Structure formats: C-alpha cells, structure tokens
Amino acid sequence: MEKFDAVVVGAGPAGAAAATTMARAGLSVVLVERGEYPGAKNVMGGVMYGRMAAEVVPEFWTQGAPIERVVVEERIWLATDDSAVSVSHRSPKGAYHPDGCPNAFTVLRAKWDRWFAQKAEEAGALLVPGTTVEDVLWQDGRVAGVRTGREEGDLHADVVVLCDGVNSALVERARLRDHPVEPHQLALGVKEVVGLPPEVIEGRFNVERGQGVTIEIYGAVTRGMSGYGFLYTNHDSVSVGVGVLVSHLMRTRIPPYELLEGLKQHPLVRPLLAGGETLEYSAHAIPEGGWRAMPKLYGDGVLVAGDAAMMVNGLHREGSNLAMTAGRLAGETVVEAKQRGDFSARTLSLYAAKLEESFVLKDLRKYRDLPELAERRPDLFGTFAELANLAAHEMLTVDGLPKRDKQRKIWREVTRRKPLWGLARDLYEVWRAVR
Amino acid sequence: MELRGPSRVEEKLYTLRWKHDRTSHIAITDPRTCADRCGDEWRRPCTTFCPAKVYEWDPEQARIVVAYENCVECTTCLVGCPYRVIDWRPPRGGFGIQYRYG
C-alpha cells in the first residue's frame, strides 16, 4: 500500500499553498481537486493580495502570474437608488510594496488557481484533478487518509489537510465541527464577467494599461439585506456582482439574479458597463460567520484551512489571502510534525498557534461581533447611505437658501428619519463591532 | 445607454459550461416536508435563493422538481433549506460546472 506524507483536499489558494510548502520541504504530497482543472469550481469577486501570494511563490509577479490589473484606486459608494456618496483612495505608487510586489490585484479564479496549483506541481506535489473526495479514512482513532470517488481510490497519508472550501462536508466527517453552518453565517455572491475592450475600461475608470479600480457599493443595491455590490476591473472585462446573507435572501425572497440585474441597471453602474457583453455568470457561497463560527482547526492527523475553516474577513473583502497564509502555515506545521515523527493533535496544534500569531486569527477575532450585527441590522447601510446622500444633495443644491438654513433643514430631515438617540446607538453598535 | 447581455436567469445560464453526469447529485430526502410544512412556514425559499433556478415547485405533483443540470455548485442550498432536506453532494470527479473565468 502506497502511503503519502500528506493528502491535500482542494487545489484552491489554501490547498495549493499547503501543497507547495510541503513539497518544497521534500514531503510526498498529493493534491486532490474535484474540478477537471484547479479553479473550475471556484469563484470570488476578484481581489487577490500580493504579500501573501509572495510568501508562497516569491516574486510571483515576474513569473507570468495571471494578474488582471493592479489596483491603484479603491472606491466605496454609499448608494441610494439613483445617487451615491463616494469615498476613494488612489495611489499608483502605493499600489506596490517596496520590493515591487503588487499590494492588491484583480484575478479570475479559473485562471489564477490553475497557475497557482501549477506551482505546487513544480515543487513536486502530485496534482490529481477530476477527483472528488467522499470521506476521510480513520485508523486507530486518527485521520489516516481519504476515500475518493475513484475505483480503488483510497489515499493513505500521515496527515490530511482539508482545503475543500465553503460548506465542507469533510470538516464534519473529520469531527472538527459538530453543528451545521447557519444561514446567517453564509452569504451568496452572484457575479457576471462583462467583456469590454481594455481601452474602454481605461477610459471609463480613468486608469492606464495594467492599472485597475475596485468599487464597493453599499446601500440600496442590496435591497435591505446585509451585503454589498462590487465592480472590479480586469484586463478586458469588468466583474460586477453582489453578495448578501443567505438568511436575508430566505426572508426577502428576492432572487439573487434579480438583485444582480438591479445592480447592473443602477444609473451609476450602467454607464460603466454599457456595450459590454456578459462572458460568464457565476455564483458561490461565502463563509461569513467569522471567528465564532470557525470549526476546530486541527485534530489527530488532520488540519483545515481557507473557506472550509470560515477564514473570511467580510468587512475588508479578504479571504483568499487568509487562505494562502493558513495553507502555508498548515504546510509548515506538517513539515515540523514530519521531523518529529508525530502527527497527533498535540503536535498539529502548532498550526493554531501559528495562526494566532498571524493576521489571520487576529483580524477574525477583532471582527468577531460583526457577523451578528450584520444579521440583526440589515437596515444600517441603507439608512446611513440615505442620510449621507440627503445631506450631500442639500448642501450641493444651490437654490438661494442660506447655508445655515440648509444645515438646519438637513438636521431636521435626518432626525425625522432617525431620532438622535437611535443614530447614536447605531453608531455605537457599529463602533463596538469594528473597534 | 443600452446594456447588452442576459437579463433573465435562463440567459445567464447560457453563458456557462458543464460536464453533465447522467445521475443527479442532488436529492430531496423528505419531499413531504416541502409539501406539508415548508409551503406554509417558509414558502419554499430554495425556489428563490438558488442562483441557478435548480429548484421549482410543481403544484400538480406537489413536489420540488430538481434541475440538477443547472447547478453551479454554490452550496447555498445546503444551508438555506430550512429543514435540511436537500441532500447535495459534490458531483462525481470532473463532472459539473466548469468555470472558464470564475
């Protein structure tokens, strides 16, 4: 019976990072992927972070990585149905770290994941695509491999690293979670990739070749549900999408594709996409339960990383970077366990300690109360967007009314919609959840 | 200004590519729950939250009809079914949705 040092389930950012790290240290690694190629099943809005990718593949930006555009400007819109207050930051120079590594860049996951997993193969990992893992194998009370859907498809290993994405059934099979994920701990994102010529994108978004823009849209576009819309520029397409909590979709009964259509038809969005052709529609669940909803991160002979472990920082739209870091730390942990010749939970707990030291658990812990607030108060973004637009519109409308009177009018309008104490309480709640 | 492109979900699904398996990877484990309880209590949310319109209520048969060929494997139904009677498993290796962009 052939036995590997490690089996990694899922060739996304977490799995490829784990496999690369272990293979580079000389371990025998199988990377199992259920898609016909890595990325075939994977979707995200589209922003990837360079620092964490470079910790897995140094100087990746010089090695033909499928970077769409380097983000030089980030915009946040607080939108009503037909207007928005916009906040933005633009810094073409600040878009790169001092060593030339891009800070944030857009990707299309079917392309990026394929390339990233190839790096694991180059490091010596055996990539097995087109193969679904159905269960974990047990031996003497510890995880000892996986059962795949293939004929005689058992793979035996000292360690299994679960990177099989959101709603991982294997996390439960490996006894790392004993309660199911709840609807308020999950968002559904829907997206279209809209093809446009590069020069049209550059004109509309005011960037040069290779530069990109991100826009996150809060307020009316989610129709009273917690979440946000987004526009991300790729080389010759724009990713436009919206993500909202599943619990809110269940209550409102608004079909997600209608939500997306509404976003595309928004008066501020429509001109940016005009004439474009939809190349692909996509949808994927996003784990939004945060720190409180995470499974146990390790057991005897098993580790879990990425979406499978709820590693998403929704407020900062980060996830793939947490996944790459967690995958790498899982890989490093297994390398140390191999040196000790001990793959028990006690040794593998080193993984949790490494994560605690990193931004991954520090950030998730910082925002641990945010998911509950998002579930309970879907009205917050809509209300604040409305008030901000009301104030901006009044101050910018030149109609002969003296400014002091305008201020009074705004104040009256604001407090009519939202009593002062309510406004103060809301702000305090938000502050408490993000401080 | 006109926005070309698919506005209905059926048209959106035309942009996708699948490798279809002959058998369904989705099963409703207790169809009577959909008929007897979910209609009154939740109005069968799978028929609206599924982004690929996999689930449709057939009033004549009084059951949910599952168009598994449309499934984009987002996994929302695993969590969004109020009674957890949707048994969704990943399609067999290599089958199912094949995103070209993602």
Side-chain angles (χ1 to χ4, degrees):
Chain A
M1 182 181 75
E2 192 180 10
K3 188 178 151 194
F4 298 90
D5 290 324
V7 173
V8 181
V9 185
T20 303
T21 305
M22 292 186 287
R24 228 181 251 148
L27 272 61
S28 61
V29 181
V30 195
L31 178 57
V32 188
E33 164 60 43
R34 71 185 182 88
E36 206 164 54
Y37 45 86
K41 309 288 186 182
N42 302 350
V43 182
M44 71 176 193
V47 182
M48 183 72 74
Y49 295 92
R51 183 47 79 220
M52 292 82 201
E55 282 167 351
V56 181
V57 182
E59 305 207 334
F60 68 90
W61 60 94
T62 63
Q63 297 178 45
I67 296 169
E68 292 291 323
R69 286 178 185 270
V70 174
V71 176
V72 298
E73 181 173 337
E74 310 217 13
R75 304 174 189 165
I76 293 173
W77 290 357
L78 299 176
T80 67
D81 281 329
D82 57 4
S83 68
V85 169
S86 170
V87 186
S88 72
H89 174 68
R90 184 180 176 109
S91 172
K93 190 163 155 270
Y96 295 87
H97 295 289
D99 61 353
C101 175
N103 169 50
F105 52 92
T106 51
V107 299
L108 295 162
R109 286 286 299 274
K111 299 176 184 178
W112 173 270
D113 287 11
R114 219 168 175 166
W115 178 86
F116 199 54
Q118 196 188 317
K119 295 293 153 191
E121 279 191 282
E122 286 167 17
L126 175 65
L127 174 68
V128 184
T131 304
T132 299
V133 171
E134 295 177 345
D135 206 348
V136 295
L137 300 173
W138 294 87
Q139 196 175 18
D140 306 327
R142 54 178 296 279
V143 173
V146 298
R147 172 151 295 161
T148 73
R150 287 183 184 274
E151 201 87 0
E152 289 175 37
D154 286 2
L155 293 168
H156 300 269
D158 287 324
V159 178
V160 173
V161 187
L162 297 175
C163 305
D164 53 330
V166 63
N167 286 327
S168 160
L170 299 175
V171 166
E172 278 171 47
R173 301 297 301 166
R175 297 173 201 157
L176 297 174
R177 178 199 293 286
D178 53 14
H179 51 280
V181 173
E182 299 291 332
H184 63 271
Q185 296 168 336
L186 197 73
L188 171 61
V190 287
K191 179 178 105 163
E192 279 180 41
V193 176
V194 178
L196 283 166
E199 55 277 11
V200 170
I201 293 172
E202 285 145 21
R204 286 182 189 176
F205 289 87
N206 185 28
V207 288
E208 292 172 0
R209 188 57 46 103
Q211 298 181 334
V213 171
T214 66
I215 307 176
E216 267 97 27
I217 310 169
Y218 292 93
V221 295
T222 56
R223 292 170 64 182
M225 299 182 275
S226 281
Y228 55 85
F230 60 83
L231 281 163
Y232 301 138
T233 55
N234 304 312
H235 171 63
D236 55 3
S237 63
V238 174
S239 294
V240 54
V242 56
V244 289
L245 287 183
V246 172
S247 53
H248 295 169
L249 281 172
M250 290 167 71
R251 281 207 289 274
T252 62
R253 300 178 57 79
I254 298 169
Y257 33 87
E258 283 179 18
L259 198 63
L260 175 58
E261 205 51 35
L263 172 65
K264 283 168 60 195
Q265 301 298 343
H266 191 281
L268 275 72
V269 173
R270 199 169 54 214
L272 293 172
L273 302 174
E277 187 195 351
T278 296
L279 304 172
E280 192 177 72
Y281 170 63
S282 56
H284 216 284
I286 308 161
E288 294 285 3
W291 188 76
R292 294 185 191 281
M294 292 176 85
K296 199 163 174 282
L297 296 171
Y298 60 88
D300 286 311
V302 64
L303 296 167
V304 54
D307 274 8
M310 259 306 152
M311 291 175 180
V312 167
N313 175 350
L315 181 67
H316 292 266
R317 54 130 211 257
E318 293 180 30
S320 54
N321 55 327
L322 279 67
M324 289 186 286
T325 296
R328 177 175 61 81
L329 296 177
E332 288 175 6
T333 302
V334 175
V335 172
E336 291 187 48
K338 170 85 178 167
Q339 282 159 2
R340 292 190 206 175
D342 174 25
F343 301 92
S344 66
R346 226 178 90 182
T347 296
L348 296 183
S349 70
L350 191 58
Y351 170 54
K354 286 173 189 280
L355 282 170
E356 292 279 3
E357 289 292 301
S358 78
F359 76 99
V360 175
L361 282 184
K362 283 187 174 150
D363 284 353
L364 288 171
R365 196 191 300 269
K366 176 179 194 293
Y367 297 117
R368 65 186 179 277
D369 293 327
L370 206 51
E372 186 272 331
L373 184 65
E375 159 66 8
R376 190 162 46 83
R377 297 296 307 277
D379 58 305
L380 282 177
F381 281 117
T383 305
F384 281 102
E386 196 193 328
L387 298 182
N389 278 273
L390 179 149
H393 178 74
E394 187 58 45
M395 285 315 277
L396 299 174
T397 303
V398 180
D399 55 2
L401 194 67
K403 302 302 182 230
R404 194 173 297 280
D405 292 347
K406 278 187 177 288
Q407 284 174 347
R408 286 204 191 97
K409 190 176 165 193
I410 290 169
W411 194 237
R412 244 187 353 255
E413 285 290 311
V414 167
T415 48
R416 190 172 63 80
R417 283 174 170 76
K418 193 102 203 168
L420 196 54
W421 62 269
L423 207 60
R425 194 197 55 193
D426 285 358
L427 285 170
Y428 173 71
E429 274 210 88
V430 173
W431 172 78
R432 223 179 41 171
V434 302
R435 70 187 156 164
Chain B
M1 266 191 278
E2 198 198 339
L3 188 74
R4 281 190 290 137
S7 55
R8 293 167 54 239
V9 65
E10 289 80 5
E11 295 173 85
K12 292 185 196 302
L13 295 174
Y14 282 140
T15 65
L16 290 169
R17 192 169 70 186
W18 288 268
K19 191 168 157 189
H20 288 309
D21 205 345
R22 284 186 306 278
T23 53
S24 176
H25 61 286
I26 307 168
I28 308 280
T29 56
D30 181 11
R32 281 173 63 182
T33 297
C34 313
D36 298 346
R37 289 184 66 191
C38 196
D40 291 339
E41 289 168 21
W42 279 93
R43 295 164 65 205
R44 303 179 192 101
C46 61
T47 60
T48 55
F49 69 63
C50 173
K53 236 180 166 174
V54 168
Y55 306 98
E56 278 201 273
W57 176 248
D58 182 338
E60 282 181 18
Q61 297 184 66
R63 67 180 185 97
I64 294 280
V65 179
V66 181
Y68 76 93
E69 304 91 340
N70 283 359
C71 180
V72 296
E73 297 162 42
C74 74
T75 72
T76 303
C77 56
L78 276 168
V79 172
C81 171
Y83 307 97
R84 310 250 169 185
V85 298
I86 297 176
D87 179 14
W88 185 97
R89 286 156 202 250
R92 280 198 297 152
F95 288 97
I97 189 76
Q98 293 188 336
Y99 284 119
R100 290 159 297 139
Y101 297 89

Short mmCIF file of all heavy atoms in Angstrom, two decimals, chain A residues 189-227:
data_model
loop_
_atom_site.label_atom_id
_atom_site.label_comp_id
_atom_site.label_asym_id
_atom_site.label_seq_id
_atom_site.Cartn_x
_atom_site.Cartn_y
_atom_site.Cartn_z
N GLY A 189 -22.85 35.05 -3.15
CA GLY A 189 -22.38 36.05 -4.10
C GLY A 189 -22.75 35.62 -5.51
O GLY A 189 -22.60 34.45 -5.86
N VAL A 190 -23.29 36.56 -6.30
CA VAL A 190 -23.54 36.29 -7.72
C VAL A 190 -22.81 37.34 -8.53
O VAL A 190 -22.66 38.49 -8.08
CB VAL A 190 -25.04 36.30 -8.08
CG1 VAL A 190 -25.73 35.07 -7.55
CG2 VAL A 190 -25.72 37.55 -7.57
N LYS A 191 -22.37 36.96 -9.69
CA LYS A 191 -21.45 37.83 -10.44
C LYS A 191 -21.59 37.62 -11.93
O LYS A 191 -22.00 36.54 -12.37
CB LYS A 191 -20.03 37.47 -9.97
CG LYS A 191 -18.91 38.23 -10.61
CD LYS A 191 -17.58 37.83 -10.03
CE LYS A 191 -16.81 36.95 -10.99
NZ LYS A 191 -15.37 36.86 -10.68
N GLU A 192 -21.26 38.64 -12.70
CA GLU A 192 -21.07 38.46 -14.13
C GLU A 192 -19.72 39.05 -14.52
O GLU A 192 -19.32 40.08 -13.98
CB GLU A 192 -22.19 39.18 -14.93
CG GLU A 192 -23.47 38.38 -15.01
CD GLU A 192 -24.56 39.10 -15.79
OE1 GLU A 192 -24.26 39.71 -16.82
OE2 GLU A 192 -25.72 39.02 -15.33
N VAL A 193 -19.06 38.37 -15.41
CA VAL A 193 -17.85 38.93 -16.01
C VAL A 193 -18.29 39.53 -17.34
O VAL A 193 -18.77 38.82 -18.22
CB VAL A 193 -16.78 37.84 -16.23
CG1 VAL A 193 -15.57 38.42 -16.95
CG2 VAL A 193 -16.37 37.23 -14.90
N VAL A 194 -18.18 40.86 -17.43
CA VAL A 194 -18.67 41.59 -18.60
C VAL A 194 -17.48 42.03 -19.45
O VAL A 194 -16.64 42.82 -19.01
CB VAL A 194 -19.51 42.82 -18.17
CG1 VAL A 194 -19.98 43.61 -19.38
CG2 VAL A 194 -20.70 42.38 -17.32
N GLY A 195 -17.41 41.52 -20.66
CA GLY A 195 -16.28 41.81 -21.54
C GLY A 195 -16.35 43.21 -22.14
O GLY A 195 -17.42 43.65 -22.59
N LEU A 196 -15.24 43.93 -22.09
CA LEU A 196 -15.12 45.28 -22.68
C LEU A 196 -13.68 45.44 -23.17
O LEU A 196 -12.75 44.89 -22.55
CB LEU A 196 -15.42 46.36 -21.62
CG LEU A 196 -16.89 46.62 -21.25
CD1 LEU A 196 -16.95 47.44 -19.97
CD2 LEU A 196 -17.61 47.35 -22.38
N PRO A 197 -13.46 46.20 -24.22
CA PRO A 197 -12.08 46.41 -24.68
C PRO A 197 -11.25 47.12 -23.61
O PRO A 197 -11.78 48.01 -22.92
CB PRO A 197 -12.25 47.31 -25.92
CG PRO A 197 -13.68 47.13 -26.34
CD PRO A 197 -14.44 46.85 -25.09
N PRO A 198 -9.97 46.78 -23.47
CA PRO A 198 -9.13 47.39 -22.42
C PRO A 198 -9.15 48.91 -22.46
O PRO A 198 -9.25 49.55 -21.41
CB PRO A 198 -7.73 46.86 -22.75
CG PRO A 198 -7.95 45.59 -23.49
CD PRO A 198 -9.24 45.74 -24.24
N GLU A 199 -9.10 49.49 -23.66
CA GLU A 199 -9.03 50.96 -23.72
C GLU A 199 -10.35 51.59 -23.26
O GLU A 199 -10.36 52.70 -22.73
CB GLU A 199 -8.63 51.45 -25.12
CG GLU A 199 -9.49 50.96 -26.27
CD GLU A 199 -9.11 49.56 -26.77
OE1 GLU A 199 -8.31 48.85 -26.11
OE2 GLU A 199 -9.62 49.17 -27.84
N VAL A 200 -11.45 50.88 -23.43
CA VAL A 200 -12.74 51.39 -22.94
C VAL A 200 -12.74 51.38 -21.41
O VAL A 200 -13.14 52.34 -20.76
CB VAL A 200 -13.91 50.55 -23.49
CG1 VAL A 200 -15.22 50.91 -22.80
CG2 VAL A 200 -14.04 50.74 -25.00
N ILE A 201 -12.25 50.28 -20.84
CA ILE A 201 -12.16 50.18 -19.37
C ILE A 201 -11.26 51.29 -18.85
O ILE A 201 -11.59 51.99 -17.87
CB ILE A 201 -11.61 48.80 -18.97
CG1 ILE A 201 -12.64 47.71 -19.33
CG2 ILE A 201 -11.28 48.77 -17.48
CD1 ILE A 201 -12.13 46.30 -19.16
N GLU A 202 -10.13 51.50 -19.51
CA GLU A 202 -9.17 52.51 -19.04
C GLU A 202 -9.77 53.91 -19.12
O GLU A 202 -9.54 54.73 -18.23
CB GLU A 202 -7.87 52.37 -19.86
CG GLU A 202 -7.08 51.14 -19.40
CD GLU A 202 -6.34 50.42 -20.53
OE1 GLU A 202 -6.08 51.03 -21.58
OE2 GLU A 202 -6.02 49.23 -20.33
N GLY A 203 -10.56 54.18 -20.15
CA GLY A 203 -11.21 55.48 -20.26
C GLY A 203 -12.27 55.67 -19.19
O GLY A 203 -12.31 56.69 -18.51
N ARG A 204 -13.11 54.66 -19.03
CA ARG A 204 -14.23 54.80 -18.09
C ARG A 204 -13.77 54.86 -16.64
O ARG A 204 -14.41 55.50 -15.81
CB ARG A 204 -15.19 53.62 -18.26
CG ARG A 204 -16.02 53.74 -19.53
CD ARG A 204 -16.99 52.60 -19.67
NE ARG A 204 -17.60 52.66 -21.00
CZ ARG A 204 -18.44 51.75 -21.45
NH1 ARG A 204 -18.79 50.72 -20.69
NH2 ARG A 204 -18.96 51.85 -22.66
N PHE A 205 -12.72 54.15 -16.32
CA PHE A 205 -12.28 54.10 -14.93
C PHE A 205 -11.07 54.99 -14.65
O PHE A 205 -10.53 54.99 -13.56
CB PHE A 205 -11.98 52.65 -14.52
CG PHE A 205 -13.22 51.80 -14.41
CD1 PHE A 205 -13.75 51.15 -15.52
CD2 PHE A 205 -13.88 51.67 -13.18
CE1 PHE A 205 -14.90 50.37 -15.41
CE2 PHE A 205 -15.02 50.88 -13.07
CZ PHE A 205 -15.53 50.24 -14.19
N ASN A 206 -10.64 55.71 -15.70
CA ASN A 206 -9.53 56.65 -15.54
C ASN A 206 -8.25 55.99 -15.05
O ASN A 206 -7.68 56.37 -14.03
CB ASN A 206 -9.96 57.80 -14.60
CG ASN A 206 -8.91 58.88 -14.50
OD1 ASN A 206 -8.13 59.09 -15.43
ND2 ASN A 206 -8.85 59.54 -13.35
N VAL A 207 -7.83 54.94 -15.74
CA VAL A 207 -6.57 54.27 -15.39
C VAL A 207 -5.75 54.01 -16.65
O VAL A 207 -6.24 54.13 -17.77
CB VAL A 207 -6.81 52.93 -14.66
CG1 VAL A 207 -7.33 53.15 -13.26
CG2 VAL A 207 -7.75 52.02 -15.47
N GLU A 208 -4.49 53.64 -16.43
CA GLU A 208 -3.62 53.30 -17.54
C GLU A 208 -3.57 51.78 -17.70
O GLU A 208 -4.08 51.04 -16.86
CB GLU A 208 -2.22 53.87 -17.29
CG GLU A 208 -2.22 55.39 -17.35
CD GLU A 208 -0.90 56.02 -16.93
OE1 GLU A 208 0.04 55.27 -16.58
OE2 GLU A 208 -0.83 57.26 -16.95
N ARG A 209 -2.93 51.33 -18.77
CA ARG A 209 -2.80 49.90 -19.03
C ARG A 209 -2.21 49.17 -17.82
O ARG A 209 -1.22 49.61 -17.25
CB ARG A 209 -1.90 49.71 -20.26
CG ARG A 209 -1.78 48.30 -20.82
CD ARG A 209 -3.08 47.65 -21.22
NE ARG A 209 -4.02 48.44 -22.00
CZ ARG A 209 -4.23 48.30 -23.33
NH1 ARG A 209 -3.55 47.43 -24.01
NH2 ARG A 209 -5.14 49.03 -23.95
N GLY A 210 -2.85 48.12 -17.41
CA GLY A 210 -2.34 47.34 -16.27
C GLY A 210 -2.85 47.81 -14.92
O GLY A 210 -2.71 47.11 -13.93
N GLN A 211 -3.44 49.03 -14.90
CA GLN A 211 -3.96 49.55 -13.63
C GLN A 211 -5.45 49.26 -13.51
O GLN A 211 -6.15 49.24 -14.53
CB GLN A 211 -3.76 51.07 -13.55
CG GLN A 211 -2.30 51.50 -13.59
CD GLN A 211 -2.18 53.02 -13.50
OE1 GLN A 211 -3.09 53.75 -13.85
NE2 GLN A 211 -1.03 53.46 -13.02
N GLY A 212 -5.91 49.08 -12.28
CA GLY A 212 -7.32 48.77 -12.08
C GLY A 212 -7.94 49.51 -10.92
O GLY A 212 -7.27 50.17 -10.13
N VAL A 213 -9.26 49.39 -10.85
CA VAL A 213 -10.06 50.09 -9.84
C VAL A 213 -11.00 49.08 -9.18
O VAL A 213 -11.49 48.16 -9.85
CB VAL A 213 -10.90 51.21 -10.51
CG1 VAL A 213 -11.91 51.81 -9.54
CG2 VAL A 213 -9.98 52.30 -11.07
N THR A 214 -11.24 49.25 -7.89
CA THR A 214 -12.29 48.48 -7.23
C THR A 214 -13.36 49.45 -6.74
O THR A 214 -13.05 50.55 -6.30
CB THR A 214 -11.77 47.69 -6.02
OG1 THR A 214 -11.35 48.61 -5.00
CG2 THR A 214 -10.61 46.78 -6.40
N ILE A 215 -14.60 49.04 -6.85
CA ILE A 215 -15.71 49.83 -6.29
C ILE A 215 -16.57 48.90 -5.45
O ILE A 215 -17.02 47.86 -5.95
CB ILE A 215 -16.58 50.46 -7.40
CG1 ILE A 215 -15.72 51.26 -8.40
CG2 ILE A 215 -17.66 51.35 -6.78
CD1 ILE A 215 -16.52 51.83 -9.57
N GLU A 216 -16.76 49.23 -4.19
CA GLU A 216 -17.72 48.50 -3.37
C GLU A 216 -18.93 49.41 -3.15
O GLU A 216 -18.77 50.59 -2.86
CB GLU A 216 -17.12 48.11 -2.01
CG GLU A 216 -16.51 46.73 -1.99
CD GLU A 216 -15.00 46.76 -2.22
OE1 GLU A 216 -14.39 47.77 -1.89
OE2 GLU A 216 -14.46 45.76 -2.73
N ILE A 217 -20.10 48.85 -3.31
CA ILE A 217 -21.32 49.66 -3.27
C ILE A 217 -22.22 49.19 -2.13
O ILE A 217 -22.73 48.06 -2.15
CB ILE A 217 -22.08 49.56 -4.61
CG1 ILE A 217 -21.12 49.81 -5.77
CG2 ILE A 217 -23.23 50.55 -4.64
CD1 ILE A 217 -21.70 49.48 -7.13
N TYR A 218 -22.40 50.06 -1.15
CA TYR A 218 -23.26 49.76 -0.01
C TYR A 218 -24.56 50.55 -0.14
O TYR A 218 -24.58 51.62 -0.70
CB TYR A 218 -22.57 50.17 1.30
CG TYR A 218 -21.38 49.32 1.64
CD1 TYR A 218 -20.10 49.71 1.25
CD2 TYR A 218 -21.53 48.13 2.34
CE1 TYR A 218 -18.99 48.93 1.56
CE2 TYR A 218 -20.43 47.36 2.65
CZ TYR A 218 -19.17 47.75 2.27
OH TYR A 218 -18.09 47.00 2.57
N GLY A 219 -25.62 50.01 0.43
CA GLY A 219 -26.88 50.76 0.46
C GLY A 219 -27.97 50.09 -0.35
O GLY A 219 -28.18 48.88 -0.26
N ALA A 220 -28.63 50.90 -1.19
CA ALA A 220 -29.86 50.45 -1.85
C ALA A 220 -29.69 49.19 -2.70
O ALA A 220 -30.65 48.45 -2.89
CB ALA A 220 -30.42 51.58 -2.70
N VAL A 221 -28.47 48.96 -3.23
CA VAL A 221 -28.30 47.85 -4.17
C VAL A 221 -28.55 46.47 -3.54
O VAL A 221 -28.77 45.50 -4.25
CB VAL A 221 -26.89 47.85 -4.83
CG1 VAL A 221 -26.72 49.08 -5.70
CG2 VAL A 221 -25.79 47.74 -3.79
N THR A 222 -28.51 46.38 -2.21
CA THR A 222 -28.78 45.09 -1.57
C THR A 222 -30.24 44.97 -1.11
O THR A 222 -30.62 43.98 -0.51
CB THR A 222 -27.85 44.82 -0.38
OG1 THR A 222 -27.98 45.90 0.55
CG2 THR A 222 -26.41 44.70 -0.83
N ARG A 223 -31.02 46.00 -1.39
CA ARG A 223 -32.46 45.99 -1.12
C ARG A 223 -32.81 45.51 0.29
O ARG A 223 -33.62 44.59 0.48
CB ARG A 223 -33.17 45.13 -2.19
CG ARG A 223 -33.08 45.82 -3.55
CD ARG A 223 -33.51 45.00 -4.72
NE ARG A 223 -34.91 44.62 -4.70
CZ ARG A 223 -35.49 43.86 -5.63
NH1 ARG A 223 -34.75 43.44 -6.65
NH2 ARG A 223 -36.74 43.54 -5.55
N GLY A 224 -32.16 46.14 1.24
CA GLY A 224 -32.48 45.89 2.63
C GLY A 224 -31.84 44.67 3.23
O GLY A 224 -32.15 44.28 4.35
N MET A 225 -30.95 44.04 2.49
CA MET A 225 -30.23 42.88 3.03
C MET A 225 -28.79 43.28 3.34
O MET A 225 -28.26 44.22 2.76
CB MET A 225 -30.25 41.74 2.01
CG MET A 225 -31.66 41.27 1.68
SD MET A 225 -31.70 39.88 0.50
CE MET A 225 -31.63 40.75 -1.06
N SER A 226 -28.15 42.56 4.26
CA SER A 226 -26.76 42.86 4.59
C SER A 226 -25.84 42.31 3.51
O SER A 226 -25.91 41.12 3.19
CB SER A 226 -26.38 42.27 5.94
OG SER A 226 -26.86 43.08 6.97
N GLY A 227 -24.97 43.17 3.02
CA GLY A 227 -24.03 42.77 1.99
C GLY A 227 -23.62 43.97 1.17
O GLY A 227 -23.85 45.11 1.58
#
